[in-house]
Amino acid sequence: FGCSFFTGGFKSHFDIPASADDTFQLVEIPFTNFSNCNSDATGEPSKTCASDPSVCPDAGTLRDIKTITVWAEGAKGTVHLEIDSIGATGCASAAAAAAGGAADAYTTYNKVVDGTCAESCLGSMVGICPVGLVVAKGGLEKGTCSSLGYTV
C-alpha cells in the first residue's frame, strides 16, 4: 500500500491504558510521531516521520493547525474514549525542526480570555505582518499557558 488516497492530514497512533477510577489521563504525542502517509485500509502509517522526514508535519502546518480529529479505529475490539481537553505544546522546537532552523527563532505567546488560555508559537512574521504588530494588537503575552498554571 502507498500513502493515503481517501484521507488527508497527519495521524499518529497512541495507546491509553484503561483508567481504574475513571479519571482522565494525560496523553502526550510528539509532533514527530505524526505522518501524512497512512494506509487507507488499516490507518497505520505506511511511512513514519522517523524513517522519512518528508511525511512529517512541516513548519507551516505546525504554525497553523486548523482541524483536529480523533479516530478510534477499533480493529482489535470496542473503543470507548472520552476527551476532556486537547492542546499542543512544544510547537516552537517542532516548527524549527520542520523548517530546519533553530527553536529560538520562534517565541511562544499566550492570551487568557474568560479563564481560558490559548497559546501559539510565532516566528518573526505572521503572514505579511511583523510579529510585534500581531502581539501588540492581539494583546498577546510571552510565555506558555502552563507557565501560568494552566494544564492541558
Side-chain angles (χ1 to χ4, degrees), residues 111-118 150:
K111 182 168 183 170
V112 178
V113 176
D114 296 331
T116 300
C117 187
Y150 288 88

Side-chain angles (χ1 to χ4, degrees), residues 23-124:
T23 59
F24 287 101
Q25 299 178 43
L26 176 64
V27 176
E28 294 181 354
I29 309 168
F31 288 117
T32 54
N33 284 18
F34 285 80
S35 171
N36 68 353
C37 184
N38 304 289
S39 166
D40 285 325
T42 67
E44 294 296 321
S46 302
K47 295 179 187 175
T48 64
C49 185
S51 66
D52 183 352
S54 72
V55 302
C56 301
D58 61 17
T61 299
L62 293 170
R63 277 194 307 268
D64 192 20
I65 297 172
K66 291 184 176 17
T67 304
I68 296 175
T69 304
V70 177
W71 289 31
E73 297 174 302
K76 296 182 181 178
T78 303
V79 174
H80 176 91
L81 180 65
E82 295 180 24
I83 299 172
D84 183 48
S85 66
I86 295 177
T89 62
C91 54
S93 57
D104 59 6
Y106 297 88
T107 303
T108 302
Y109 294 92
N110 71 69
K111 182 168 183 170
V112 178
V113 176
D114 296 331
T116 300
C117 187
E119 67 181 54
S120 183
C121 299
L122 304 176
S124 61

